[in-house]
Amino acid sequence: MKPTSLIEALQDADMLEIDGLYAWQFDLDTELLAQISAGTAGSDSAAKPLLQVHCIDGRERRLWKFSLAAVQAARHSEADDNWLIEGNDASHTLKCFAAYRGDNDDDEAADEA
């Protein structure tokens, strides 16, 4: 099932691609998301950083920060399966990748039978 928002896609992601650069390190502020879900977030929550993406570009360490409002406003492109998100300085293309995971539950059920 395809995520309906960038927040959903980020919660399932293990790696990101930002502007063609692979980023294994990214931080999603789950505490802020929990406050929003519980209705306890402050009035300034839309401006707070929700997503930070870290990567190494050659020898240069790069860091992008995106507010809750920017993540919520991100637009999905079906054709490329990526998200267009507005940063403080420019627009960025973000793609989420989830690792494949095996499930051994079927094997255990077969062993018990």
XYZ file of all heavy atoms in Angstrom:
870
model
N 0.845 -1.187 0.000
C 0.000 0.000 0.000
C 0.889 1.249 0.000
O 1.787 1.382 0.812
C -0.902 -0.031 1.224
C -1.867 1.072 1.280
S -2.996 0.757 2.661
C -3.905 2.228 2.620
N 0.627 2.137 -0.911
C 1.399 3.372 -1.046
C 1.038 4.344 0.084
O -0.124 4.490 0.434
C 1.105 4.045 -2.379
C 1.626 3.273 -3.554
C 2.972 3.778 -3.908
C 3.416 3.098 -5.188
N 4.803 3.235 -5.394
N 2.051 5.017 0.636
C 1.760 6.026 1.660
C 1.018 7.207 1.051
O 1.234 7.561 -0.101
C 3.137 6.434 2.164
C 4.104 5.961 1.150
C 3.459 4.862 0.381
N 0.148 7.816 1.841
C -0.637 8.956 1.361
C 0.012 10.289 1.718
O -0.428 11.325 1.253
C -2.064 8.920 1.919
O -1.992 8.914 3.350
C -2.805 7.684 1.434
N 1.050 10.260 2.569
C 1.752 11.482 2.935
C 3.241 11.180 3.073
O 3.645 10.028 3.245
C 1.216 12.031 4.267
O 1.612 11.201 5.340
N 4.037 12.226 3.019
C 5.474 12.049 3.189
C 5.778 11.555 4.597
O 6.693 10.758 4.790
C 6.219 13.355 2.890
C 7.739 13.316 3.052
C 8.379 12.172 2.262
C 8.352 14.648 2.670
N 5.016 11.987 5.577
C 5.237 11.518 6.952
C 5.088 9.998 7.014
O 5.925 9.308 7.596
C 4.290 12.221 7.943
C 4.685 13.692 8.076
C 4.326 11.530 9.315
C 3.749 14.533 8.904
N 4.052 9.451 6.403
C 3.871 7.996 6.369
C 5.041 7.314 5.669
O 5.546 6.291 6.136
C 2.576 7.619 5.654
C 1.324 7.872 6.437
C 0.085 7.473 5.650
O 0.186 6.704 4.674
O -0.994 7.953 6.013
N 5.475 7.865 4.545
C 6.590 7.288 3.792
C 7.871 7.307 4.626
O 8.639 6.340 4.625
C 6.795 8.039 2.482
N 8.109 8.391 5.364
C 9.309 8.502 6.190
C 9.298 7.511 7.342
O 10.339 6.986 7.733
C 9.453 9.931 6.727
C 9.816 10.991 5.698
C 9.607 12.385 6.272
C 11.251 10.803 5.225
N 8.133 7.246 7.903
C 8.036 6.312 9.021
C 8.390 4.890 8.609
O 8.853 4.104 9.427
C 6.644 6.374 9.652
C 6.420 7.668 10.406
C 5.009 7.833 10.915
O 4.042 7.412 10.289
N 4.875 8.463 12.078
N 8.201 4.555 7.341
C 8.522 3.215 6.838
C 9.894 3.151 6.174
O 10.338 2.078 5.779
C 7.465 2.766 5.814
C 6.114 2.518 6.469
O 6.068 2.254 7.685
O 5.106 2.601 5.753
N 10.569 4.284 6.026
C 11.819 4.334 5.259
C 13.030 3.939 6.095
O 13.102 4.209 7.292
C 12.024 5.734 4.698
N 13.978 3.289 5.411
C 15.271 2.952 6.014
C 16.385 3.798 5.411
O 17.459 3.912 5.996
C 15.595 1.477 5.770
C 14.595 0.564 6.440
O 14.400 0.708 7.654
O 13.987 -0.267 5.738
N 16.133 4.362 4.234
C 17.120 5.174 3.541
C 16.379 6.188 2.672
O 15.266 5.931 2.222
C 18.014 4.298 2.651
C 19.129 5.061 1.980
S 20.243 4.022 1.028
C 19.240 3.655 -0.396
N 17.021 7.327 2.454
C 16.452 8.373 1.606
C 17.422 8.711 0.490
O 18.625 8.512 0.606
C 16.191 9.646 2.411
C 15.280 9.560 3.625
C 15.192 10.920 4.297
C 13.913 9.068 3.232
N 16.866 9.253 -0.560
C 17.668 9.873 -1.613
C 17.194 11.314 -1.695
O 16.001 11.577 -1.837
C 17.433 9.163 -2.945
C 18.211 9.750 -4.097
C 17.881 9.069 -5.417
O 17.783 7.824 -5.446
O 17.716 9.788 -6.412
N 18.134 12.242 -1.562
C 17.789 13.652 -1.647
C 18.628 14.290 -2.750
O 19.856 14.210 -2.717
C 17.956 14.384 -0.291
C 17.510 15.838 -0.414
C 19.353 14.247 0.268
C 17.276 16.535 0.908
N 17.961 14.838 -3.728
C 18.635 15.478 -4.870
C 19.692 14.566 -5.498
O 20.777 15.000 -5.861
C 19.265 16.805 -4.450
C 18.223 17.800 -3.944
O 17.042 17.672 -4.318
O 18.589 18.708 -3.171
N 19.389 13.266 -5.577
C 20.288 12.312 -6.205
C 21.376 11.758 -5.294
O 22.169 10.923 -5.717
N 21.429 12.200 -4.037
C 22.424 11.711 -3.071
C 21.756 10.747 -2.095
O 20.686 11.048 -1.558
C 23.043 12.874 -2.292
C 23.782 13.927 -3.105
C 24.105 15.134 -2.233
C 25.040 13.333 -3.711
N 22.393 9.607 -1.850
C 21.830 8.640 -0.912
C 22.172 9.031 0.516
O 23.307 9.374 0.824
C 22.351 7.230 -1.215
C 21.789 6.693 -2.499
C 22.539 6.722 -3.664
C 20.494 6.196 -2.548
C 22.013 6.255 -4.860
C 19.963 5.729 -3.733
C 20.725 5.760 -4.881
O 20.194 5.301 -6.055
N 21.175 8.975 1.377
C 21.347 9.357 2.776
C 20.818 8.233 3.668
O 19.618 8.003 3.727
C 20.591 10.652 3.052
N 21.734 7.544 4.325
C 21.336 6.476 5.239
C 20.957 7.054 6.591
O 20.254 6.434 7.352
C 22.468 5.471 5.420
C 22.637 4.582 4.255
C 22.039 3.361 4.078
C 23.425 4.795 3.093
N 22.412 2.824 2.871
C 23.279 3.698 2.244
C 24.256 5.831 2.680
C 23.919 3.580 1.024
C 24.899 5.724 1.463
C 24.723 4.610 0.658
N 21.438 8.240 6.884
C 21.174 8.858 8.167
C 20.143 9.957 8.011
O 20.355 10.935 7.293
C 22.452 9.481 8.731
C 23.042 8.710 9.849
C 24.169 9.517 10.481
O 24.972 10.138 9.797
N 24.218 9.485 11.774
N 19.019 9.766 8.680
C 18.023 10.821 8.738
C 17.278 10.688 10.050
O 17.180 9.605 10.621
C 17.073 10.791 7.529
C 16.215 9.567 7.439
C 14.931 9.563 7.957
C 16.698 8.415 6.833
C 14.139 8.430 7.870
C 15.913 7.286 6.737
C 14.630 7.294 7.257
N 16.804 11.799 10.555
C 16.108 11.824 11.839
C 14.716 12.406 11.640
O 14.557 13.490 11.083
C 16.874 12.687 12.847
C 18.289 12.194 13.072
O 18.452 10.996 13.329
O 19.218 13.014 12.967
N 13.744 11.671 12.121
C 12.353 12.105 12.101
C 11.957 12.325 13.554
O 12.111 11.420 14.390
C 11.485 11.023 11.449
C 10.026 11.343 11.207
C 9.889 12.522 10.241
C 9.310 10.134 10.644
N 11.483 13.506 13.893
C 11.138 13.841 15.272
C 9.831 13.145 15.657
O 8.741 13.695 15.483
C 11.034 15.353 15.441
C 10.885 15.777 16.893
O 10.528 14.938 17.740
O 11.132 16.966 17.176
N 9.958 11.926 16.163
C 8.775 11.135 16.525
C 8.056 11.719 17.742
O 6.858 11.542 17.890
C 9.144 9.662 16.779
O 10.190 9.601 17.751
C 9.612 8.987 15.493
N 8.796 12.439 18.581
C 8.164 13.081 19.734
C 7.198 14.169 19.276
O 6.085 14.286 19.784
C 9.226 13.662 20.666
C 8.642 14.240 21.936
C 9.719 14.739 22.885
O 10.755 14.059 23.031
O 9.505 15.818 23.472
N 7.616 14.957 18.292
C 6.742 15.997 17.736
C 5.509 15.363 17.095
O 4.381 15.832 17.280
C 7.502 16.859 16.727
C 6.715 17.965 16.026
C 6.088 18.927 17.032
C 7.609 18.715 15.052
N 5.704 14.265 16.360
C 4.570 13.567 15.748
C 3.601 13.036 16.810
O 2.383 13.109 16.639
C 5.050 12.420 14.867
C 5.756 12.821 13.576
C 6.287 11.583 12.858
C 4.830 13.618 12.674
N 4.142 12.529 17.916
C 3.294 12.025 19.004
C 2.496 13.161 19.635
O 1.312 12.997 19.965
C 4.148 11.320 20.050
N 3.130 14.330 19.802
C 2.424 15.491 20.355
C 1.288 15.925 19.436
O 0.202 16.283 19.906
C 3.393 16.650 20.565
C 4.388 16.430 21.677
C 5.445 17.527 21.733
O 5.446 18.462 20.931
N 6.366 17.397 22.682
N 1.523 15.887 18.139
C 0.486 16.270 17.179
C -0.670 15.280 17.248
O -1.835 15.662 17.277
C 1.067 16.373 15.758
C 2.030 17.556 15.690
C -0.020 16.500 14.710
C 2.929 17.555 14.497
N -0.348 13.986 17.297
C -1.387 12.951 17.387
C -2.218 13.107 18.653
O -3.425 12.910 18.635
C -0.751 11.560 17.404
O -0.627 11.064 16.125
N -1.553 13.452 19.753
C -2.240 13.582 21.037
C -2.939 14.927 21.186
O -3.706 15.130 22.125
C -1.242 13.401 22.174
N -2.673 15.859 20.262
C -3.288 17.178 20.342
C -2.622 18.084 21.364
O -3.212 19.057 21.808
N -1.375 17.759 21.759
C -0.681 18.549 22.767
C 0.431 19.413 22.175
O 1.176 20.041 22.921
C -0.075 17.634 23.853
O 0.833 16.719 23.236
C -1.161 16.868 24.590
N 0.545 19.445 20.857
C 1.596 20.246 20.211
C 1.272 21.727 20.349
O 0.110 22.131 20.326
C 1.714 19.869 18.737
N 2.307 22.520 20.498
C 2.139 23.963 20.640
C 1.762 24.621 19.324
O 1.835 24.022 18.246
N 1.399 25.884 19.408
C 0.988 26.623 18.213
C 2.150 26.859 17.255
O 1.936 27.127 16.079
C 0.367 27.963 18.610
O 1.304 28.734 19.343
N 3.381 26.739 17.748
C 4.550 26.942 16.900
C 5.078 25.642 16.296
O 6.132 25.623 15.676
C 5.666 27.620 17.692
C 6.181 26.754 18.838
O 5.458 25.822 19.262
O 7.296 27.010 19.319
N 4.333 24.552 16.423
C 4.827 23.237 15.989
C 5.067 23.160 14.479
O 5.946 22.435 14.035
C 3.883 22.122 16.432
O 2.613 22.296 15.852
N 4.319 23.900 13.685
C 4.484 23.841 12.226
C 5.865 24.330 11.792
O 6.394 23.884 10.781
C 3.403 24.653 11.523
N 6.471 25.217 12.570
C 7.783 25.756 12.226
C 8.935 24.912 12.772
O 10.080 25.097 12.381
C 7.911 27.181 12.753
N 8.630 23.988 13.665
C 9.686 23.163 14.268
C 10.245 22.178 13.250
O 9.520 21.673 12.400
C 9.138 22.394 15.466
C 8.842 23.268 16.654
C 8.411 22.437 17.830
C 8.172 23.323 19.038
N 7.721 22.552 20.191
N 11.556 21.885 13.364
C 12.142 20.900 12.443
C 11.595 19.502 12.733
O 11.626 19.052 13.867
C 13.642 20.980 12.718
C 13.819 21.791 13.950
C 12.538 22.471 14.255
N 11.079 18.864 11.705
C 10.554 17.506 11.830
C 11.528 16.498 11.228
O 11.683 15.399 11.735
C 9.201 17.385 11.123
C 8.591 15.989 11.123
C 8.153 15.602 12.537
C 7.438 15.884 10.173
N 12.195 16.883 10.161
C 13.071 15.973 9.437
C 14.449 16.593 9.243
O 14.559 17.745 8.829
C 12.462 15.662 8.058
C 13.304 14.835 7.097
C 13.537 13.425 7.624
C 12.638 14.790 5.724
N 15.480 15.811 9.571
C 16.860 16.196 9.288
C 17.488 15.074 8.474
O 17.372 13.909 8.841
C 17.659 16.386 10.575
C 17.193 17.558 11.403
C 18.102 17.806 12.592
O 19.317 17.795 12.460
N 17.491 18.011 13.740
N 18.112 15.432 7.371
C 18.743 14.453 6.483
C 20.241 14.755 6.451
O 20.643 15.883 6.187
C 18.158 14.532 5.053
C 18.801 13.492 4.158
C 16.644 14.365 5.079
N 21.050 13.727 6.730
C 22.506 13.860 6.760
C 23.103 13.001 5.665
O 22.664 11.874 5.461
C 23.078 13.345 8.092
C 22.354 13.811 9.304
N 22.774 14.871 10.049
C 21.228 13.358 9.916
C 21.951 15.048 11.065
N 21.001 14.146 11.002
N 24.120 13.500 4.997
C 24.862 12.654 4.055
C 26.234 13.251 3.789
O 26.503 14.406 4.126
C 24.090 12.404 2.772
S 24.271 13.621 1.492
N 27.088 12.425 3.215
C 28.425 12.854 2.825
C 28.437 12.964 1.308
O 28.118 12.021 0.601
C 29.498 11.835 3.277
C 29.456 11.632 4.792
C 30.883 12.267 2.821
C 29.818 12.846 5.602
N 28.807 14.148 0.822
C 28.909 14.413 -0.607
C 30.388 14.653 -0.907
O 30.892 15.756 -0.704
C 28.059 15.630 -0.964
C 28.057 15.946 -2.437
O 28.585 15.146 -3.232
O 27.529 17.015 -2.807
N 31.072 13.584 -1.333
C 32.525 13.673 -1.486
C 33.149 13.750 -0.107
O 33.012 12.862 0.695
N 33.793 14.866 0.190
C 34.375 15.079 1.524
C 33.526 16.021 2.366
O 33.868 16.326 3.500
C 35.776 15.651 1.387
C 36.745 14.685 0.803
C 38.103 15.301 0.732
N 39.038 14.343 0.165
C 40.295 14.296 0.475
N 40.798 15.157 1.326
N 41.079 13.406 -0.075
N 32.454 16.491 1.785
C 31.616 17.486 2.459
C 30.426 16.824 3.144
O 29.703 16.038 2.544
C 31.115 18.503 1.422
C 30.284 19.600 2.000
C 29.768 20.548 0.934
O 30.234 20.501 -0.216
O 28.865 21.329 1.263
N 30.248 17.156 4.417
C 29.068 16.687 5.154
C 27.931 17.655 4.851
O 28.095 18.865 4.928
C 29.351 16.679 6.655
C 28.183 16.173 7.455
C 28.540 16.144 8.949
N 27.423 15.687 9.723
C 26.457 16.484 10.197
N 26.494 17.776 9.964
N 25.467 15.985 10.890
N 26.788 17.115 4.483
C 25.628 17.954 4.141
C 24.499 17.661 5.107
O 24.320 16.527 5.539
C 25.188 17.676 2.708
C 26.356 17.808 1.755
C 26.215 18.531 0.488
N 25.103 19.369 0.249
C 24.519 19.476 -0.931
N 24.946 18.760 -1.958
N 23.524 20.297 -1.123
N 23.742 18.674 5.426
C 22.610 18.543 6.342
C 21.458 19.387 5.816
O 21.639 20.567 5.497
C 23.005 19.009 7.750
C 21.888 19.116 8.780
C 21.309 17.738 9.096
C 22.392 19.776 10.050
N 20.306 18.767 5.703
C 19.080 19.476 5.325
C 18.113 19.358 6.485
O 17.989 18.300 7.106
C 18.430 18.849 4.091
C 19.217 18.947 2.841
C 19.139 19.924 1.884
C 20.200 18.016 2.364
N 20.011 19.648 0.860
C 20.678 18.490 1.126
C 20.738 16.828 2.867
C 21.646 17.820 0.392
C 21.710 16.162 2.149
C 22.145 16.663 0.919
N 17.401 20.443 6.781
C 16.375 20.441 7.830
C 15.068 20.906 7.210
O 15.042 21.901 6.472
C 16.754 21.385 8.972
C 17.959 20.924 9.753
C 18.242 21.884 10.893
C 19.470 21.443 11.663
N 19.726 22.315 12.820
N 13.997 20.176 7.538
C 12.678 20.511 7.020
C 11.690 20.605 8.171
O 11.639 19.736 9.037
C 12.205 19.464 6.017
C 13.121 19.321 4.834
C 14.041 18.291 4.781
C 13.073 20.233 3.794
C 14.901 18.156 3.694
C 13.930 20.117 2.710
C 14.847 19.081 2.651
N 10.893 21.651 8.158
C 9.893 21.865 9.205
C 8.700 20.931 9.011
O 8.521 20.336 7.945
C 9.407 23.314 9.172
O 8.653 23.532 7.978
N 7.908 20.842 10.047
C 6.674 20.059 9.976
C 5.806 20.557 8.833
O 5.284 19.761 8.040
C 5.917 20.150 11.299
C 4.495 19.594 11.322
C 4.500 18.093 11.045
C 3.815 19.898 12.638
N 5.682 21.869 8.691
C 4.853 22.445 7.624
C 5.366 22.048 6.247
O 4.587 21.717 5.352
C 4.794 23.964 7.760
N 6.695 22.059 6.059
C 7.279 21.699 4.762
C 7.033 20.223 4.445
O 6.703 19.873 3.307
C 8.776 21.991 4.746
N 7.162 19.362 5.442
C 6.932 17.928 5.230
C 5.463 17.674 4.908
O 5.133 16.900 4.011
C 7.397 17.103 6.451
C 7.015 15.637 6.304
C 8.911 17.232 6.640
N 4.566 18.351 5.621
C 3.138 18.179 5.362
C 2.747 18.698 3.983
O 1.820 18.174 3.366
C 2.310 18.888 6.438
C 2.365 18.192 7.778
C 1.642 18.966 8.864
O 1.647 20.193 8.893
N 1.023 18.237 9.784
N 3.451 19.713 3.484
C 3.113 20.318 2.191
C 3.800 19.628 1.012
O 3.538 19.982 -0.136
C 3.483 21.801 2.204
N 4.668 18.654 1.276
C 5.394 17.970 0.195
C 4.415 17.327 -0.778
O 3.375 16.804 -0.382
C 6.333 16.916 0.778
N 4.774 17.388 -2.053
C 3.906 16.837 -3.106
C 4.542 15.580 -3.691
O 5.733 15.559 -3.999
C 3.697 17.883 -4.197
C 2.943 19.103 -3.703
C 2.731 20.140 -4.800
N 3.900 20.461 -5.601
C 4.791 21.386 -5.304
N 4.685 22.086 -4.205
N 5.805 21.627 -6.109
N 3.733 14.555 -3.879
C 4.205 13.277 -4.419
C 4.086 13.261 -5.933
O 3.098 13.720 -6.489
C 3.383 12.131 -3.824
C 3.902 10.791 -4.214
N 3.245 9.967 -5.100
C 5.029 10.131 -3.844
C 3.938 8.858 -5.248
N 5.023 8.931 -4.509
N 5.115 12.739 -6.596
C 5.086 12.551 -8.042
C 4.951 11.059 -8.323
O 5.870 10.289 -8.035
C 6.379 13.082 -8.667
O 6.476 12.646 -10.003
N 3.813 10.660 -8.844
C 3.573 9.251 -9.165
C 4.555 8.746 -10.213
O 5.030 7.625 -10.138
C 2.141 9.053 -9.683
C 1.078 9.154 -8.625
C 1.041 7.950 -7.706
O 1.406 6.828 -8.133
O 0.652 8.139 -6.544
N 4.861 9.579 -11.197
C 5.721 9.171 -12.313
C 7.112 8.757 -11.830
O 7.671 7.768 -12.296
C 5.828 10.297 -13.330
N 7.673 9.514 -10.901
C 9.031 9.244 -10.413
C 9.042 8.583 -9.039
O 10.101 8.229 -8.542
C 9.830 10.549 -10.329
C 9.953 11.229 -11.668
O 9.969 10.536 -12.693
O 10.011 12.477 -11.689
N 7.884 8.463 -8.412
C 7.746 7.951 -7.052
C 8.677 8.701 -6.095
O 9.425 8.094 -5.330
C 7.999 6.435 -6.993
C 7.544 5.853 -5.659
O 6.651 6.445 -5.019
O 8.110 4.822 -5.233
N 8.643 10.030 -6.169
C 9.421 10.835 -5.241
C 8.561 11.988 -4.733
O 7.436 12.173 -5.162
C 10.734 11.319 -5.869
C 10.522 12.162 -7.096
O 9.503 12.837 -7.237
N 11.475 12.153 -8.009
N 9.114 12.722 -3.796
C 8.411 13.832 -3.168
C 9.156 15.118 -3.448
O 10.387 15.155 -3.375
C 8.339 13.610 -1.658
C 7.574 12.382 -1.280
C 8.060 11.113 -1.192
C 6.188 12.307 -0.955
N 7.053 10.247 -0.835
C 5.899 10.954 -0.676
C 5.165 13.237 -0.863
C 4.638 10.521 -0.317
C 3.900 12.803 -0.494
C 3.645 11.459 -0.235
N 8.442 16.183 -3.746
C 9.022 17.505 -3.911
C 8.749 18.259 -2.614
O 7.594 18.411 -2.204
C 8.400 18.241 -5.093
C 9.000 19.600 -5.390
C 10.472 19.465 -5.794
C 8.226 20.305 -6.483
N 9.833 18.679 -1.958
C 9.709 19.354 -0.667
C 10.462 20.672 -0.727
O 11.535 20.764 -1.327
C 10.230 18.441 0.479
C 9.971 19.069 1.838
C 11.670 18.056 0.283
C 10.196 18.114 2.998
N 9.878 21.684 -0.122
C 10.482 23.020 -0.115
C 11.363 23.168 1.117
O 10.899 22.984 2.238
C 9.391 24.100 -0.098
C 8.487 24.092 -1.312
C 9.205 24.434 -2.600
O 10.159 25.248 -2.567
O 8.821 23.890 -3.642
N 12.635 23.485 0.892
C 13.552 23.781 1.987
C 13.663 25.270 2.181
O 12.990 26.056 1.493
N 14.516 25.696 3.102
C 14.710 27.128 3.341
C 15.349 27.816 2.148
O 15.101 28.980 1.885
C 15.586 27.345 4.577
C 14.859 26.936 5.836
O 13.644 26.941 5.896
N 15.631 26.564 6.848
N 16.180 27.058 1.415
C 16.950 27.662 0.334
C 16.460 27.297 -1.062
O 16.679 28.034 -2.000
C 18.421 27.271 0.471
C 18.602 25.748 0.529
O 17.611 25.033 0.743
O 19.741 25.292 0.347
N 15.813 26.144 -1.202
C 15.408 25.678 -2.537
C 14.441 24.511 -2.417
O 14.186 24.005 -1.327
C 16.643 25.234 -3.327
N 13.941 24.064 -3.558
C 13.120 22.850 -3.616
C 14.043 21.644 -3.708
O 15.113 21.725 -4.325
C 12.220 22.869 -4.845
O 11.300 23.917 -4.760
N 13.633 20.542 -3.116
C 14.443 19.326 -3.122
C 13.569 18.145 -3.518
O 12.377 18.122 -3.232
C 15.049 19.067 -1.741
C 15.915 20.181 -1.262
N 17.216 20.328 -1.661
C 15.651 21.219 -0.426
C 17.725 21.398 -1.081
N 16.796 21.963 -0.343
N 14.199 17.173 -4.156
C 13.524 15.932 -4.509
C 13.944 14.869 -3.506
O 15.131 14.657 -3.277
C 13.925 15.489 -5.927
O 13.607 16.544 -6.831
C 13.170 14.249 -6.335
N 12.964 14.218 -2.913
C 13.203 13.234 -1.868
C 12.549 11.923 -2.252
O 11.386 11.911 -2.679
C 12.596 13.762 -0.571
C 12.959 13.108 0.735
C 14.424 13.351 1.046
C 12.105 13.680 1.846
N 13.286 10.840 -2.132
C 12.749 9.515 -2.418
C 12.997 8.639 -1.202
O 14.084 8.656 -0.630
C 13.417 8.925 -3.657
C 12.760 7.666 -4.150
C 13.246 7.315 -5.539
C 12.367 6.227 -6.113
N 12.581 6.042 -7.521
N 11.995 7.883 -0.801
C 12.088 7.019 0.375
C 12.272 5.571 -0.055
O 11.599 5.105 -0.977
C 10.813 7.129 1.211
S 10.481 8.800 1.804
N 13.170 4.892 0.630
C 13.405 3.470 0.375
C 13.195 2.693 1.659
O 13.676 3.096 2.722
C 14.844 3.226 -0.104
C 15.169 3.879 -1.408
C 15.818 5.107 -1.446
C 14.828 3.274 -2.603
C 16.127 5.716 -2.640
C 15.128 3.880 -3.817
C 15.775 5.106 -3.828
N 12.513 1.578 1.562
C 12.319 0.683 2.703
C 13.058 -0.615 2.408
O 12.998 -1.131 1.292
C 10.843 0.414 2.930
N 13.738 -1.133 3.413
C 14.473 -2.391 3.241
C 13.482 -3.542 3.142
O 12.391 -3.507 3.712
C 15.409 -2.606 4.422
N 13.876 -4.539 2.403
C 13.062 -5.749 2.322
C 13.305 -6.571 3.571
O 14.449 -6.728 4.010
C 13.426 -6.568 1.073
C 13.044 -5.873 -0.195
C 13.972 -5.155 -0.920
C 11.733 -5.900 -0.646
C 13.617 -4.496 -2.086
C 11.364 -5.238 -1.802
C 12.317 -4.544 -2.519
O 11.958 -3.889 -3.665
N 12.244 -7.081 4.132
C 12.361 -7.872 5.351
C 11.713 -9.230 5.126
O 10.639 -9.330 4.556
C 11.655 -7.167 6.505
C 12.344 -5.866 6.896
C 11.636 -5.242 8.096
N 12.315 -4.059 8.540
C 12.087 -2.845 8.088
N 11.184 -2.649 7.162
N 12.743 -1.811 8.556
N 12.363 -10.253 5.631
C 11.802 -11.590 5.555
C 10.867 -11.847 6.716
O 10.951 -11.209 7.757
N 9.985 -12.763 6.565
C 9.048 -13.122 7.615
C 9.080 -14.628 7.761
O 8.738 -15.360 6.827
C 7.643 -12.633 7.241
C 6.642 -12.858 8.360
O 7.022 -13.395 9.401
O 5.478 -12.479 8.164
N 9.476 -15.093 8.919
C 9.592 -16.527 9.159
C 8.338 -17.129 9.776
O 8.331 -18.302 10.129
C 10.795 -16.819 10.062
C 12.098 -16.540 9.369
O 12.169 -16.601 8.145
N 13.132 -16.236 10.139
N 7.285 -16.358 9.935
C 6.081 -16.860 10.581
C 5.502 -18.061 9.846
O 5.031 -18.997 10.460
C 5.019 -15.768 10.685
C 5.398 -14.714 11.723
O 6.275 -15.011 12.568
O 4.830 -13.619 11.680
N 5.530 -18.045 8.517
C 4.987 -19.173 7.746
C 5.770 -20.449 8.009
O 5.197 -21.521 8.130
C 4.998 -18.866 6.245
C 4.032 -17.754 5.889
O 3.088 -17.510 6.675
O 4.220 -17.126 4.840
N 7.098 -20.352 8.129
C 7.922 -21.516 8.385
C 7.631 -22.114 9.754
O 7.561 -23.314 9.924
C 9.414 -21.172 8.291
C 9.819 -20.811 6.865
O 9.080 -21.185 5.939
O 10.853 -20.136 6.706
N 7.441 -21.261 10.773
C 7.147 -21.744 12.111
C 5.800 -22.448 12.152
O 5.639 -23.470 12.806
C 7.174 -20.593 13.114
C 8.573 -20.053 13.351
C 8.567 -18.825 14.228
O 7.565 -18.594 14.935
O 9.579 -18.101 14.239
N 4.813 -21.905 11.455
C 3.488 -22.526 11.414
C 3.558 -23.892 10.754
O 2.905 -24.853 11.177
C 2.498 -21.629 10.692
N 4.367 -24.026 9.709
C 4.513 -25.305 9.016
C 5.198 -26.333 9.905
O 4.866 -27.518 9.886
C 5.299 -25.128 7.714
N 6.191 -25.884 10.722
C 6.901 -26.800 11.620
C 5.997 -27.330 12.721
O 6.149 -28.458 13.170
C 8.109 -26.096 12.266
C 9.192 -25.812 11.256
O 9.181 -26.435 10.162
O 10.072 -24.963 11.550
N 5.030 -26.490 13.169
C 4.142 -26.907 14.252
C 3.082 -27.896 13.774
O 2.557 -28.658 14.537
C 3.452 -25.684 14.856
C 4.433 -24.801 15.604
C 3.784 -23.509 16.082
O 2.549 -23.351 15.899
O 4.504 -22.649 16.636
N 2.764 -27.897 12.488
C 1.683 -28.741 11.952
C 2.080 -30.193 11.851
O 3.114 -30.664 12.022
C 1.270 -28.243 10.588
